[in-house]
Amino acid sequence: MDCLFCKIIDGDIPSTKVYEDDFVFAFKDIAPIAPFHCLIIPKVHISGADQITAENSEVIGKVFEAAAKIAKQEGIESFRIINNCGDDAGQTVKHIHFHMLAGVKMGWGPESLGKTE
Ligand code: AMP
Ligand code: ZN
C-alpha cells in the first residue's frame, strides 16, 4: 500500500519519533502550527475516522493513552487533539492521525476553523 504514514512507521521515510509502543507511533509534524506539534497514529492502517468500526476501535483508545504518556514525557500540562476526516476537513494524508498541539494559549470558536471557503 502506498501510504506515507505506513512508510514512516516502517522507517522507510525518516521522522522525528516522539513515542512508540506496540499499537501506536508518534512523531513531530513536519510543518508545526504550535510550539509542540506531533502526530499520533495507529500502526494499523485505517484511512480515516469514518472507517472506525467495532473491530478496530480499540486502537483509538491507545492513541489517547499515548497522548497522556507523551504529555508526561514532554512536561505538557495543556494540549489539544485534532483529527481531520475528509477533504473538506483538511485531511491530506489518508492514514488516520491525531494532531497533538501544545505550548501556546489556544483560542476556541468559529475563527479556530480557519478559512472555510
Ligand atoms: P492533515 O492535514 O490533518 O491530513 O495532516 C497531515 C499532517 O501531516 C500535516 O500537518 C503535515 O504537515 C504532516 N506531514 C506531512 N508529511 C509529513 C512528514 N513526512 N513528516 C511529518 N509530518 C508530515
Ligand atoms: Zn497507512
Side-chain angles (χ1 to χ4, degrees):
M1 190 189 316
D2 194 28
C3 170
L4 175 65
F5 286 175
C6 282
K7 286 178 184 159
I8 284 180
I9 292 164
D10 291 342
D12 295 337
I13 291 176
S15 69
T16 303
K17 183 163 85 175
V18 174
Y19 174 83
E20 181 175 14
D21 63 29
D22 288 347
F23 306 97
V24 309
F25 190 82
F27 56 103
K28 290 283 177 75
D29 195 292
I30 205 168
I33 62 166
F36 179 86
H37 184 176
C38 77
L39 300 172
I40 309 174
I41 62 179
K43 287 187 170 175
V44 61
H45 181 91
I46 300 170
S47 61
D50 57 346
Q51 299 303 315
I52 296 171
T53 65
E55 283 68 44
N56 66 18
S57 63
E58 209 174 319
V59 74
I60 306 304
K62 303 289 186 189
V63 166
F64 280 81
E65 270 185 54
K69 286 181 187 164
I70 292 166
K72 285 192 187 73
Q73 175 186 302
E74 305 290 328
I76 290 168
E77 286 183 5
S78 280
F79 59 88
R80 180 173 291 174
I81 304 276
I82 296 175
N83 168 257
N84 297 323
C85 179
D87 293 337
D88 282 357
Q91 184 182 5
T92 58
V93 181
K94 301 297 194 276
H95 179 128
I96 194 170
H97 52 280
F98 295 81
H99 298 259
M100 180 174 178
L101 306 170
V104 66
K105 182 104 177 144
M106 291 173 246
W108 181 252
E111 70 281 359
S112 71
L113 292 173
K115 196 165 177 246
T116 54
E117 53 184 27

